[in-house]
C-alpha cells in the first residue's frame, strides 16, 4: 500500500491510492462513472447558500464551488459541490486525497491522479480543464489559508 | 420504405465498438453525419490518382481535377434545384452566411436598414448580423416563437418584415426540429420588398430543397451534415442577388486581371471563391450526393421523423423529463430534452459510457435556450442509418440512468 | 542525403500511367504537392472511426475528434516554431491573408496608412490590400525587384518602410523561386514601426520556418502545398498582433456567449475560426507533418534546389529559351521559362502528351509577369519525390518539342 | 465514307470525316497534337496586319483571330490565325469542315466533331470554351455574311 505525499504516480496518499485501485479494477467506464456518482454523495457538501462568486470554479461545464479550510487536527479540508454529480465526484476524490495534509503538501500535490483512474472521457479537453481549474483554485485558496495562519 | 440495413452497410464507423464492447449508437447527426465508404473512397481516389490544382492549366491531372471539381458544383446545383441560380462554394453554412453579410448586405444596406431574424436562429445566423450592426448600423428585429407549440409567431413575422431589407431564417431548427413555413416566409418577405436568406443546414440531409422554386434569394448549407466531408459548404444565390454582390475575399482564382493599381474580377461563381478551392472536399461532397440519390429522400425524411416521434414520446414518459419540440410532419429528426434534476452533462457521460453518442450543450443557439430559461439540453438526432432498435435502447438507457441517479 | 526512392514509394499517384502508357512526371509542385498514402489514410481513418463534430460535447467520438483536431494544431505550432504565438486555421494562404486584412489591418489602420508590398507578390497578397484601399483608404507602396538578378531592391525597401504600418512580403516567389531576405526585411520593418506579414506558401514545403525566431507578426501558408489536404491553411500570429485583432466571421465555435443584443467571443484561436472546423483536413495535415518529420528538411531543400539548378541550366541551353530565376542558395525548387516562338500553352500540351505536368500561365502573379512584359510562363517545380532522371527527361522533351515545332 | 452536312456524329462532310479518321487512328495524344501542328500550317492564315478587335476570339487562352468570307464558288470560307499552333490547328479543322457550305449549313453545323477527335486535354474546360467561343463567333459572322448577301 502506498503512503506517499502526492508528488505524482506511485506516490499517492493511502486514501487516494485505494480509490485509484477501485477505479482501475472497475469493469468499464460505466462502472467508473457509477463510482463517481457514489463518491459525489460522500463529499463534505458546500450548501447552495454558501455558493458565491468567490467559491465558484471558472471554466467548468457545470456550476462548481469549493471552499478550503482546516479540520479539527489543523490539517487541510476541502468542502465543495457542483450541479453535476460527476464534477462533484471529482471534488470528492480531490477532497479525500488532500484531507489532513499541510498547506505546503497541498501546494506540491500533483493533479495526475485523475489520469490513473481511467476517466478519459469524463476528462475531455473541456472537462479536464474544468478539473485542472478546480485543482488550481484549491491550491490558490490553500495558499491564502497559509497567509491567514502566518 | 427505406432499407436501413442496406444503408448501414456503407458506413464503416457503425461497426465500431465502444467502451465495454458496446456498439456505437450515433445520435449526433445534427452536429455532423457519418460518411459512407463511397465518399471516403472518392476523396482517397482523387488524392491517389488525380490530385492537382484546378483551373487555368494545361496538364491532364489539372484537367481531371477541374472537371471533378466543377462536376461536383453541377451535382450540387441539380440536387438543390438551383439550375437558374449560382452555386458558390464556402467552407460551410457559417461562411456562407458571412458571405451574404459581407458581400451582399454590407454593400446594399445602409444605417437603419432592418434585418429580420427569428429567435430560433443558430449562432451562425446571428453573430454575422450583430457584427453588421456595429459595422454599418443595420437594425435587428427578432421574431418570437411560442414556448408551448414551438411555432414561429407568423403574425409577428408579418409585422416584422414590413420595411425590412433582409430576412434570415432557419429552415429547420437544430434544437427543436421545427420546420418553419419557409414558403410563406419567402412570399411575405418578398411582398414587403425584403430579400430572404434560408439557413438550410438541418434541412439538407432530410429534405429535397428546390431553391429556384422556393424562390429564396440565398440558401446556406454544409456538406458535413449530409454525408459529405468537413470543410465545405455552399451558398446558393438567386441571379439578381448575385449581381448585387461584391467580392468578399481577394486572391487567386477570383480575379480576371490584377494590376498594381487595380484589379478586375471573375463574373461567375469563382468571383467569390478566392484561393485554391476545396477540391477534394467538393469531389467528396459530389460522391455523397450520388450516394444519397440511391435512396428516396422522402423516405429518409419519414424514417427520421418516425424515430424522432418514438423517441420524443418515450422520453416524455420518463418522470422529470422535458422534451422540446413537436415532431410534426415536415420537422427534422431531432429531439432535445432535459431532465429536472439529472445534469445534462452527467446524463451524456453516462450514455456515452454505454455507447450512445448524443450532443449536450447550447447547440449554438443560446438565445433560443434562454427563452426557455435553460443553458443546455441533451439532443438525440437521427439519420437514415439509425434504427428503431437503437432509438429504443437509447430511451431505455436514459430512463434507467435517470431513475438511478437523478 | 535524401532517399528519394523511399519517399516516392509513399505516393500512390506517382505510379499512375499517363497517355500512351508513359509514367507521370509531376512537376507542378508549387501549385500543389502530391499526398503521401499516410495522409490519405489518416483522413480515411478519421472518417471511418472517429468522425464527429468537435468541441463542447461529452461523447467519445467528439472527444477523439477534438483531441485529433487540437493535436494537429500543436503539431503545426511545433513544426513552424510558433510556441509563443497563435495558430489560427483558415482555408488556405489566401484566407489567412484576408484574415490579416480584415481582422487586423481594417481595425488598426486608417486612411492614408501605408501598406508596403513587393512586386513579386502572389495575387493572394495583392487583392486583399487593394480591397482595403477602397474600404478604408490605405495606400500601397510597391518595392521593385531587379529584372536581371531577380532580387528585391532592398534600398527601395528600406525607403518604402519608413512611415509604413504593414509590410506584406512573399518569403519565396512562386514564379522566380527567389527567396527574399525576410530576416532583414522583418528587422527593417520593425525598426520603422511596421508590422510584417510573410506569405510562406512556397517556403513551407522546403524550409524549416521558425516563426517566433523570425519575429514576423503574421505568417500565412497552405497545407496542400506541403503534402497535406486541400481546404486548410494557417495564419501564425504573434501574441501582440493577436490581441489587436477583431473577429472576421461570426458563428459557432468562435463565441463565448450570444445574446439577442450582443455577443462575446472566445479569447483563444477559436475566436477566428467560425463554424464547424476543417476537422479531417487538420488531421490530414497533422499526418503530413508527421510524415515530413521522417525526412531531413535541409536535404529536401538541397535536393529541390539541385533539380532546379540542373533544369534551369539545361533549359538555358535551348535556343530561344528564357529562364526566369537565379536558383541561388535558399531559393525555391522552381524554374519558370518561356520560349521566344513556342507558345507556352502549346509547349505545355505537348509536354502533357508525354506525361510531364508543368504549370502554364500567369501563376497568379500578373503584376510580376507584366514587369517582364510577358503574360505567361511555363513553370516546372519540384518536391522531394522528383528525381534527376525526371528533370533530365523533362528537359530533353522540352528541347525536342521546341526544336521541332517552334 | 461520310458525306453529311455536319448535324452531329455520323453526319460530317467528307473532308472533316477524313480528318476525324486520321485523328482516331493516331497512336496517342502526342501524335494527335503533332497532327494539329501540321494542320495549323494549312489554314488560310489571317495575317497579323488584319488582326483587329473585330476579328478577335474572346475567352481563349491564346490570341486567336478569324475572318469569314465566301470562296470563288460562293461557298463559305474561313481564314484565321492564332499565336498558339494548337488553336490555329483547330481553326484549320473548322475551316476545312465548313469550306464551301452555305451560310445556312454553317449555322446548323454541330461543334461536336472535336469530341470525336480524341483531343480531350487540348479541349480542357478552358480550352473547350475557347474552341466553342471561336465556333460561335464563326456562326455569328456567317449570319452577318448572309445579311450582306440579302
Ligand atoms: C506565394 C503564394 N502565395 C499564396 C498562394 C495562395 O495559396 P492558396 O491558393 O492555397 O490560398 C500561393 C499558391 O498558389 C503561392 O504560391
Ligand atoms: C441550423 C444550423 N445553422 C448553421 C449551422 C452551422 O454549420 P457549420 O458549422 O457547418 O458552418 C448549423 C450546424 O451546426 C446548424 O445546425
Amino acid at each position: 500500500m502506498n503512503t506517499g505525499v502526492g508528488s505524482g504516480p506511485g506516490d499517492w496518499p493511502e486514501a487516494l491510492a485505494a480509490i485509484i485501485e477501485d477505479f482501475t479494477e472497475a469493469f468499464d467506464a460505466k462502472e467508473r462513472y457509477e463510482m463517481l456518482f457514489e463518491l459525489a454523495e460522500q463529499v463534505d457538501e458546500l450548501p447552495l447558500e454558501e455558493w458565491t462568486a468567490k467559491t465558484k470554479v471558472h471554466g467548468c461545464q457545470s456550476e462548481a464551488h469549493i471552499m478550503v479550510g482546516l479540520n479539527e487536527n489543523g490539517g487541510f479540508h476541502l468542502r465543495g459541490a457542483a450541479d453535476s454529480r460527476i464534477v462533484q465526484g471529482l471534488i470528492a476524490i480531490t477532497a479525500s486525497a488532500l484531507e489532513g495534509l499541510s498547506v505546503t503538501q497541498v501546494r506540491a500535490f500533483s493533479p495526475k491522479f485523475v489520469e490513473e483512474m481511467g476517466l478519459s472521457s469524463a476528462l475531455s479537453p473541456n472537462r479536464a480543464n474544468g478539473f485542472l481549474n478546480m485543482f488550481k483554485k484549491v491550491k490558490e485558496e490553500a495558499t491564502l489559508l497559509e497567509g491567514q495562519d502566518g | 420504405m427505406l432499407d436501413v440495413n442496406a444503408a448501414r452497410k456503407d458506413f464503416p464507423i457503425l461497426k465500431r465498438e465502444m467502451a465495454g464492447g458496446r456498439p456505437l449508437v450515433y445520435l449526433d447527426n445534427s452536429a455532423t453525419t457519418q460518411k459512407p465508404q463511397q465518399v471516403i473512397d472518392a476523396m482517397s481516389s482523387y488524392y491517389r490518382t488525380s490530385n492537382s490544382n484546378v483551373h487555368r492549366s494545361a496538364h491532364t491531372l489539372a484537367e481531371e481535377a477541374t472537371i471533378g471539381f466543377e462536376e461536383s458544383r453541377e451535382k450540387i446545383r441539380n440536387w438543390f434545384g438551383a439550375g437558374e441560380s449560382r452555386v458558390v462554394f464556402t467552407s460551410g453554412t457559417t461562411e456562407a452566411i458571412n458571405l451574404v453579410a459581407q458581400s451582399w448586405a454590407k454593400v446594399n444596406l445602409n444605417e437603419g436598414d432592418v434585418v429580420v431574424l427569428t429567435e430560433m436562429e443558430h449562432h451562425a445566423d446571428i453573430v454575422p448580423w450583430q457584427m453588421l450592426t456595429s459595422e454599418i448600423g443595420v437594425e435587428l428585429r427578432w421574431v418570437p416563437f411560442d414556448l408551448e407549440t414551438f411555432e414561429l409567431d407568423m403574425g409577428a413575422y408579418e409585422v416584422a418584415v414590413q420595411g425590412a431589407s433582409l430576412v434570415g431564417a432557419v429552415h429547420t431548427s437544430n434544437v427543436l426540429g421545427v420546420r418553419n413555413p419557409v414558403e410563406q416566409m419567402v412570399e411575405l418577405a418578398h411582398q414587403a420588398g425584403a430579400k430572404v436568406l434560408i439557413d438550410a443546414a438541418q434541412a439538407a440531409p432530410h429534405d429535397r430543397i428546390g431553391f429556384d422554386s422556393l424562390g429564396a434569394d440565398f440558401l446556406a448549407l454544409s456538406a458535413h451534415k449530409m454525408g459529405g466531408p468537413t470543410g465545405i459548404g455552399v451558398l446558393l444565390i438567386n441571379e439578381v442577388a448575385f449581381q448585387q454582390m461584391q467580392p468578399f475575399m481577394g486572391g487567386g482564382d477570383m480575379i480576371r486581371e490584377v494590376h498594381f493599381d487595380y484589379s478586375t474580377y471573375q463574373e461567375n461563381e469563382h468571383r467569390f471563391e478566392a484561393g485554391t478551392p476545396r477540391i477534394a472536399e467538393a469531389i467528396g461532397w459530389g460522391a455523397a450526393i450520388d450516394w444519397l440519390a440511391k435512396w428516396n429522400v422522402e423516405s429518409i425524411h419519414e424514417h427520421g421523423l418516425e424515430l424522432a416521434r418514438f423517441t420524443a414520446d418515450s422520453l416524455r414518459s420518463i418522470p422529470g423529463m422535458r422534451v422540446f419540440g413537436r415532431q410534426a410532419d415536415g420537422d427534422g429528426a431531432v429531439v432535445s430534452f432535459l431532465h429536472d434534476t439529472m445534469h445534462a452533462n452527467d446524463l451524456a457521460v453516462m450514455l456515452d459510457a454505454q455507447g450512445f453518442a448524443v450532443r449536450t450543450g447550447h447547440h449554438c443557439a443560446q438565445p433560443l435556450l434562454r427563452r426557455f430559461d435553460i443553458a443546455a439540453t441533451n439532443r438525440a438526432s437521427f439519420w437514415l442509418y439509425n434504427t428503431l432498435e437503437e432509438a429504443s435502447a437509447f430511451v431505455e438507457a436514459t430512463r434507467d440512468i435517470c431513475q438511478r441517479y437523478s
Side-chain angles (χ1 to χ4, degrees), chain A, chain B:
Chain A
M1 174 82 13
N2 211 326
T3 54
V5 290
S7 68
D11 182 46
W12 306 122
E14 215 166 292
L16 179 57
I19 296 177
I20 292 176
E21 201 180 323
D22 283 355
F23 269 83
T24 50
E25 282 171 1
F27 172 67
D28 65 2
K30 180 162 180 272
E31 211 174 295
R32 283 191 285 275
Y33 290 120
E34 288 168 357
M35 290 163 68
L36 267 185
F37 271 86
E38 277 162 32
L39 282 167
E41 307 304 314
Q42 294 165 28
V43 77
D44 183 356
E45 202 166 325
L46 192 72
L48 217 56
E49 310 85 73
E50 297 188 42
W51 292 16
T52 64
K54 234 191 114 279
T55 59
K56 187 175 160 71
V57 179
H58 291 280
C60 201
Q61 294 218 338
S62 82
E63 185 82 16
H65 292 262
I66 56 145
M67 192 180 276
V68 304
L70 300 177
N71 64 17
E72 54 268 37
N73 307 323
F76 187 81
H77 179 71
L78 178 66
R79 296 195 301 151
D83 56 359
S84 152
R85 297 289 89 184
I86 290 177
V87 174
Q88 184 161 318
L90 288 168
I91 296 175
I93 294 171
T94 308
S96 118
L98 303 178
E99 181 67 24
L101 299 189
S102 75
V103 167
T104 317
Q105 284 173 318
V106 168
R107 289 175 52 196
F109 211 92
S110 162
K112 288 212 191 294
F113 59 89
V114 289
E115 290 175 16
E116 286 181 45
M117 298 171 66
L119 290 169
S120 58
S121 72
L123 292 171
S124 69
N126 300 311
R127 215 172 283 258
N129 283 337
F131 170 77
L132 290 176
N133 286 343
M134 186 265 288
F135 204 74
K136 195 158 149 250
K137 188 176 169 72
V138 167
K139 290 188 176 187
E140 281 162 11
E141 306 270 317
T143 306
L144 297 181
L145 216 53
E146 193 174 42
Q148 279 169 14
D149 285 356
Chain B
M1 267 284 294
L2 189 68
D3 187 345
V4 178
N5 285 324
R8 285 183 76 81
K9 290 211 178 73
D10 288 337
F11 292 82
I13 204 171
L14 298 180
K15 289 169 200 120
R16 183 175 157 169
E17 278 192 6
M18 306 305 287
R22 296 181 176 84
L24 169 65
V25 178
Y26 185 76
L27 304 179
D28 194 14
N29 292 287
S30 288
T32 200
T33 61
Q34 297 305 334
K35 322 303 174 201
Q37 186 64 45
Q38 288 84 340
V39 169
I40 303 170
D41 286 346
M43 288 188 285
S44 297
S45 153
Y46 164 73
Y47 281 127
R48 292 175 57 94
T49 62
S50 304
N51 173 64
S52 167
N53 214 323
V54 295
H55 301 145
R56 306 199 200 85
S57 202
H59 66 76
T60 306
L61 297 187
E63 287 312 322
E64 291 176 0
T66 305
I67 291 169
F69 176 68
E70 294 295 340
E71 270 180 6
S72 284
R73 194 194 301 274
E74 296 317 306
K75 285 179 192 176
I76 287 151
R77 195 192 302 283
N78 292 336
W79 184 255
F80 293 110
E84 284 156 33
S85 303
R86 302 298 185 138
V87 176
V88 172
F89 283 124
T90 65
S91 61
T93 307
T94 302
E95 190 181 305
I97 297 174
N98 279 276
L99 181 58
V100 178
Q102 294 295 315
S103 286
W104 185 83
K106 206 167 92 183
V107 179
N108 293 283
L109 302 191
N110 297 305
E111 193 177 335
D113 282 350
V114 170
V115 175
V116 173
L117 301 173
T118 85
E119 294 191 344
M120 274 187 214
E121 297 312 301
H122 185 281
H123 295 162
D125 197 31
I126 297 177
V127 186
W129 307 112
Q130 289 181 335
M131 288 175 155
L132 218 58
T133 61
S134 26
E135 256 201 288
I136 62 164
V138 295
E139 280 173 28
L140 304 186
R141 271 185 209 155
W142 295 93
V143 179
F145 61 92
D146 188 296
L147 296 182
E148 302 291 324
T149 65
F150 311 105
E151 272 162 34
L152 211 61
D153 180 341
M154 285 301 286
Y157 176 81
E158 201 165 343
V159 174
V161 293
Q162 301 313 316
S165 301
L166 178 71
V167 171
V170 69
H171 182 293
T172 301
S173 160
N174 63 316
V175 179
L176 306 174
V178 168
R179 185 222 199 259
N180 287 312
V182 285
E183 293 78 5
Q184 201 189 336
M185 292 171 79
V186 169
E187 204 184 314
L188 289 170
H190 282 178
Q191 277 168 14
K195 295 224 181 284
V196 184
L197 157 66
I198 300 291
D199 171 355
Q202 294 299 331
H206 295 277
D207 286 295
R208 200 67 191 246
I209 295 166
F211 180 67
D212 290 340
S213 60
L214 174 59
D217 303 279
F218 308 97
L219 190 137
L221 54 91
S222 303
H224 72 90
K225 292 185 196 282
M226 54 178 292
T230 57
I232 191 166
V234 81
L235 181 68
L236 305 179
I237 313 169
N238 156 286
E239 183 66 29
V240 175
F242 182 83
Q243 296 301 340
Q244 297 171 341
M245 289 168 74
Q246 287 303 320
F248 176 28
M249 290 196 242
D253 248 33
M254 55 73 76
I255 61 93
R256 188 176 287 278
E257 279 181 26
V258 177
H259 297 259
F260 285 125
D261 46 353
Y262 73 98
S263 294
T264 57
Y265 308 124
Q266 299 269 15
E267 312 226 307
N268 64 4
E269 281 97 335
H270 299 159
R271 184 181 180 90
F272 302 100
E273 296 172 356
T276 299
R278 301 143 175 105
I279 310 167
E281 289 86 343
I283 287 170
W285 193 4
I289 285 174
D290 289 343
W291 184 87
L292 271 176
K294 299 198 298 187
W295 313 94
N296 178 294
V297 180
E298 285 70 36
S299 53
I300 295 177
H301 183 91
E302 286 310 316
H303 173 72
L305 197 55
E306 187 195 332
L307 299 189
R309 281 179 175 150
F310 166 83
T311 304
D313 289 345
S314 311
L315 288 174
R316 280 192 193 94
S317 76
I318 297 176
M321 190 65 89
R322 199 169 155 198
V323 174
F324 303 83
R326 54 177 195 180
Q327 288 76 38
D329 289 352
D331 281 3
V334 176
V335 184
S336 277
F337 54 99
L338 186 63
H339 194 270
D340 273 356
T341 54
M342 179 85 201
H343 193 277
N345 265 294
D346 289 351
L347 175 55
V349 168
M350 291 302 283
L351 282 167
D352 181 57
Q354 298 178 57
F356 299 98
V358 300
R359 185 126 308 226
T360 305
H362 56 58
H363 315 296
C364 293
Q366 290 179 349
L368 184 159
L369 262 60
R370 224 172 273 121
R371 295 283 284 111
F372 291 106
D373 247 329
I374 56 176
T377 74
N378 295 112
R379 181 186 71 184
S381 54
F382 306 91
W383 207 32
L384 78 174
Y385 39 64
N386 291 120
T387 64
L388 199 55
E389 292 73 49
E390 288 182 322
S392 157
F394 157 71
V395 169
E396 288 322 307
T398 304
R399 187 190 306 278
D400 180 59
I401 295 165
C402 291
Q403 247 162 30
R404 291 172 61 191
Y405 302 106
S406 70

